Amino acid sequence: AGTQGYVSRDGYGEARVWDAVTGQSRFLLRDERDDRTTDNAYFAPDDQRILGCYQDGIQIWDAQTGKPIAFWEISPEKVGWPTSVHISPDSNTLVIQASTWHEEDNEIEHGTNFVQLWNAQTGERIQDLMLDQATHCAFSVDSKHVAHSRCSDSQPCQIELWTVEGELKSQSPELPIGFQVYRLAFQPDANVLCEGAYDSRMTTIFSTPSSSWSVGPVSREQAFLWDIHTNQLTERPSLEEQTLSQDGKLKAVAHFGSSKNSPVGAIQHADTGEKLCDLEGLAGR
């Protein structure tokens, strides 16, 4: 907002800041040590900093100028690849997610998964969360709690609620078998919305000695609301990439698969669904 910019990611692994008013490119984000780019960059809620993920740490930039401010190193014994940074609404706490990775053109897996809480002002590590299979995270509106989804190939997904001090508070019932989490989001009432899909594997339905015809993977999108007070899961229709504002009054709705000349989304009232405006841009992507 205050920076009047946004971060875009392109296919070459570069994050660049653009002026949201004029559309002009302002600067490319590079780390201060090796002049490397990244495709995982995030504005902090305080609107003064941008944070970027690198395998060995987190780079901090000035959001107005793109000038590197600090590089916070990840402990050498942690060998996962940071894939995302979640920043609390009060800008004081980070959740860093790291995952394993594969060598190019083969299935050899490297590294380990880990999740850490950091002080977002100093870069000091607060706590390691015992989440070796965490897939997605979200901060509560009051910045006091973190929700994680824990998934594996052999067990159903489950959501866990942690304090920012690293204390496990509660666990949701298991999500249905075959359901994979895509996104978590806290609601204004502190309950957690979980979005995802039921995925099916590739299935061969016709085969001859010379050819075969396969269908899949096929997915059906679904959402679940976890009531953290009653510990109940309730099915909800998929939100199709809807995002609530911090105060819960507005929501942004993305229109995927749109034609080139149609809006890419819209801003609506969260309660009534009344459209306030369209989001113009490059549709169909």
Side-chain angles (χ1 to χ4, degrees), residues 41-73:
Y42 308 85
F43 275 105
D46 61 16
D47 218 20
Q48 302 301 310
R49 299 169 297 162
I50 300 173
L51 288 76
C53 295
Y54 292 85
Q55 184 178 1
D56 50 351
I58 304 300
Q59 177 67 57
I60 316 298
W61 296 279
D62 184 293
Q64 300 292 337
T65 65
K67 180 180 178 180
I69 298 174
F71 191 92
W72 296 339
E73 293 188 6

Side-chain angles (χ1 to χ4, degrees), residues 185-230:
F186 274 89
Q187 304 299 284
D189 60 5
N191 293 322
V192 180
L193 186 67
C194 172
E195 297 179 75
Y198 293 95
D199 290 330
S200 63
R201 301 294 181 181
M202 184 78 73
T203 302
T204 300
I205 61 175
F206 176 75
S207 180
T208 69
S210 59
S211 64
S212 63
W213 181 24
S214 299
V215 174
V218 179
S219 64
R220 176 172 65 86
E221 294 186 352
Q222 182 68 57
F224 290 90
L225 184 68
W226 176 32
D227 188 319
I228 64 174
H229 307 290
T230 65

Side-chain angles (χ1 to χ4, degrees), residues 1 11 16-17 43 48 52 57 89 100 102 121 133 139 172 178 187 191 193 216 245 248 250 262-263 270:
R16 184 182 297 273
V17 174
F43 275 105
Q48 302 301 310
T100 58
H102 295 87
Q121 303 298 328
Q133 296 170 333
F139 269 104
S172 75
Q187 304 299 284
N191 293 322
L193 186 67
S245 61
L250 302 177
S262 64

